[in-house]
Amino acid sequence: VFKGDYNKARSYYQQYYDNAFNINQKFAALWWKAVTYVYENNISESIKILDERSKLASENNAPNYVINGNAFAGLILIENGNLAEGEKYFNNASDFTKSFDMDYATQMIYEIYNDLDNCHLKILKKDFDGAEKDLEVIKAQVETRQVPNEIKYLNLIYGILQYNKGNFGLALDYISKADKESPYTWYWEAISQERAGNTQEAKKIFEKIASSNINSMELAIVRNKALMKL
């Protein structure tokens, strides 16, 4: 992948899929195949593979793969400016969360993440009032539950809100409390630093993203954007 030979990477993932011993290995193979298309900026093919994975997951009663697949498809689309299609996938994730038979605790996790994704979408649609109203409701739930990853994601979305409102210092305050291991967080920190006038700090983070070799969907979503800043 990091040598830029995406066709060869996909051939390996296809072999992994064809020789899979179980359904989870098939899910993984399709996931990493979709990731290669995001690195390649071939968004339509990445969504097509994620759709295939979600269909397979639905047929095999694997709700987590269906919900996560739709949520990430939505994120990929909105990060590439296609808010209308992204909204459809976020809605799919929410609908599947409600329709699948899951234990209450798991369902609550997905509902909070789905709600935060929809806040992200509202922010990009410039519905700041709507996003802030929804975030206050989610914040009350998250603070009651005290689940670390939910707190981090809440802070990231608050950071994205403040960035889009032009409050770059406040955006950085929130982003500093988000997931520090995620390249997606790194990217929002970098562009916030850039808009705050801290160009050298921003450049360091863009370089960190560009040079990272920890393969992930989060990195694939932001790597090309970071490279364009250098």
Side-chain angles (χ1 to χ4, degrees), residues 142-143 146-156 177-178:
V142 169
E143 288 181 344
Q146 286 295 303
V147 178
N149 285 339
E150 292 175 5
I151 294 169
K152 290 174 185 177
Y153 198 41
L154 175 68
N155 277 298
L156 177 63
K177 293 176 280 190

Side-chain angles (χ1 to χ4, degrees), residues 9 16 33 35 41 44 54 73 94-95 117 123 129 135 139 145 147 157 169 174 181-182 184 189 201 212 220:
Y16 185 60
K33 196 172 180 180
V35 169
N41 208 31
S44 61
S54 292
S94 295
D95 290 344
D117 285 337
I123 292 163
D129 288 344
L135 281 169
K139 181 182 177 184
R145 290 164 56 78
V147 178
I157 302 302
Y174 279 115
E181 303 302 315
S182 169
Y184 192 68
E189 181 185 2
E201 183 61 32
S212 176

Side-chain angles (χ1 to χ4, degrees), residues 9-165:
R10 283 191 285 272
S11 72
Y12 287 132
Y13 294 138
Q14 187 61 49
Q15 288 176 33
Y16 185 60
Y17 180 92
D18 293 339
N19 297 319
F21 291 109
N22 57 55
I23 194 66
N24 287 336
Q25 290 181 347
K26 287 183 180 289
F27 293 147
L30 290 171
W31 176 261
W32 292 114
K33 196 172 180 180
V35 169
T36 66
Y37 280 118
V38 179
Y39 278 121
E40 202 172 21
N41 208 31
N42 190 337
I43 303 307
S44 61
E45 284 300 317
S46 71
I47 299 301
K48 189 183 296 184
I49 298 298
L50 287 174
D51 284 345
E52 179 185 346
R53 181 176 176 269
S54 292
K55 182 174 182 291
L56 182 67
S58 184
E59 291 168 351
N60 285 273
N61 194 31
N64 53 325
Y65 292 105
V66 180
I67 297 165
N68 287 340
N70 277 278
F72 267 100
L75 180 60
I76 292 163
L77 286 160
I78 68 171
E79 279 292 338
N80 284 275
N82 195 337
L83 302 187
E85 281 299 305
E87 185 170 12
K88 291 178 185 177
Y89 280 92
F90 284 158
N91 288 340
N92 287 345
S94 295
D95 290 344
F96 282 123
T97 299
K98 294 179 178 71
S99 64
F100 276 114
D101 184 19
M102 294 181 284
D103 63 87
Y104 177 75
T106 301
Q107 187 172 14
M108 278 300 298
I109 292 168
Y110 283 124
E111 284 185 1
I112 285 171
Y113 275 86
N114 293 339
D115 289 346
L116 287 169
D117 285 337
N118 279 298
C119 286
H120 189 176
L121 178 65
K122 285 186 177 182
I123 292 163
L124 297 185
K125 293 167 76 172
K126 305 301 180 186
D127 181 10
F128 299 145
D129 288 344
E132 287 178 326
K133 183 179 177 181
D134 290 348
L135 281 169
E136 284 303 305
V137 174
I138 301 166
K139 181 182 177 184
Q141 293 176 302
V142 169
E143 288 181 344
T144 299
R145 290 164 56 78
Q146 286 295 303
V147 178
N149 285 339
E150 292 175 5
I151 294 169
K152 290 174 185 177
Y153 198 41
L154 175 68
N155 277 298
L156 177 63
I157 302 302
Y158 265 117
I160 292 171
L161 171 65
Q162 294 305 325
Y163 174 90
N164 279 274
K165 291 179 70 174

